[in-house]
Amino acid sequence: MRKTPRVMTPASRQMIIRRYQAAKHRLLFLDYDGTLWPTGLDERSPQAKAEHKLVRSVIRQLTQRAHTTVVIVSGRDHTVLAQRFKGLDCALAAEHGLWLKDAQQRNWTMVEAMDERWKKPVRSLFQAAARTTPGSWFEEKPYSFVWHHRTKTNQPLLIKLRKLTKRYPVRIIRGRALIELLPANINK
C-alpha cells in the first residue's frame, strides 16, 4: 500500500510561523536529502548548481538571524557535508548522526566507535546487486553501505539483508531509490 504524503495545513503553517516569531531562541533541524536537496537530482547538472546556490542562500539567511541555530542533518558522508556547507555558520550531523560538527568547530566528532564485523558480508551482497542490476550502483561510506537503484527494489537482496540484521547490530533504511545498511545505534 502506498503511503500518502502529509501536507502541512494553512493553520499548522501559521501556528509554526507565530511560534517561530515569538521564540527567544530558535533551534532548527533541517533534513538535507529529500527535503533541502531534491531526491534523484543529478548533482552534475546545471539545475543542481542553481539548487545548491539557493540552499546555501537560505541557510545563510537563517543563520544570520539573531538567536537562531541551524543544524543540517543528513545520511551523507561527513566530508561531503563539510564541503557543501563550508563557510556557513551552521552545525552539521552527518552519516545519520554518527558524525557531529558544531558551527564553530573545525573538526568532526564521532559519537561512538562502531562494530564493523558486518561489513564484509554486506559489501559482497551490495556489490553483487550493483553488478546484476542495470542502472544501479554501490556506495561505501565509512559506516554504512548504500545500494542505489533507479528501477525497482531487489527483493532477494532485502531478504538476505533482513537475515543479516538478526546476526549483526545493523538496520535497513529503504529510501525512494536506495537501500542503506548501517549500525543499529546510529539514527539521525
Side-chain angles (χ1 to χ4, degrees):
M1 183 176 188
R2 187 180 161 138
K3 290 183 182 178
T4 305
R6 293 183 182 206
V7 178
M8 188 181 303
T9 66
S12 61
R13 178 182 164 86
Q14 287 304 314
M15 180 197 65
I16 290 169
I17 291 170
R18 279 193 308 276
R19 287 184 178 177
Y20 175 86
Q21 291 170 337
K24 292 180 182 177
H25 298 279
R26 300 169 195 101
L27 176 60
L28 303 175
F29 288 90
L30 304 175
D31 183 54
Y32 186 62
D33 299 293
T35 305
L36 293 175
W37 188 261
T39 302
L41 180 62
D42 181 350
E43 298 193 19
R44 297 164 293 182
S45 71
Q47 181 187 355
K49 189 174 183 179
E51 191 74 28
H52 182 63
K53 190 174 180 179
L54 174 65
V55 168
R56 286 183 57 87
S57 172
V58 169
I59 300 302
R60 186 175 289 110
Q61 289 174 40
L62 288 171
T63 58
Q64 290 173 347
R65 292 177 181 242
H67 309 292
T68 302
T69 301
V70 175
V71 181
I72 307 297
V73 182
S74 176
R76 292 193 186 227
D77 182 280
H78 67 285
T79 58
V80 171
L81 227 53
Q83 187 61 36
R84 293 258 165 113
F85 295 101
K86 185 177 183 177
L88 295 179
D89 191 25
C90 61
L92 302 171
E95 298 178 45
H96 302 284
L98 176 62
W99 293 94
L100 304 175
K101 186 175 111 32
D102 190 87
Q104 287 72 40
Q105 288 178 305
R106 290 190 78 153
N107 298 321
W108 288 83
T109 302
M110 182 190 284
V111 175
E112 73 180 85
M114 297 291 109
D115 175 355
E116 297 186 39
R117 293 174 297 150
W118 59 273
K119 286 179 126 182
K120 187 176 180 181
V122 172
R123 182 183 290 113
S124 63
L125 286 174
F126 276 55
Q127 287 172 333
R131 274 193 312 273
T132 59
T133 309
S136 72
W137 70 96
F138 164 65
E139 176 187 6
E140 183 170 342
K141 298 178 187 179
Y143 291 95
S144 72
F145 292 155
V146 185
W147 179 65
H148 298 270
H149 58 88
R150 294 286 178 237
T151 53
K152 59 180 180 171
T153 300
N154 184 319
Q155 289 303 323
L157 174 63
L158 274 173
I159 291 166
K160 290 174 185 172
L161 291 176
R162 285 187 186 115
K163 288 179 183 175
L164 284 171
T165 62
K166 293 175 184 7
R167 290 181 30 209
Y168 299 103
V170 292
R171 67 187 178 96
I172 301 168
I173 295 178
R174 292 181 62 185
R176 182 178 295 162
L178 63 84
I179 297 173
E180 184 166 10
L181 200 85
L182 66 158
N185 58 337
I186 300 301
N187 192 346
K188 60 180 175 178

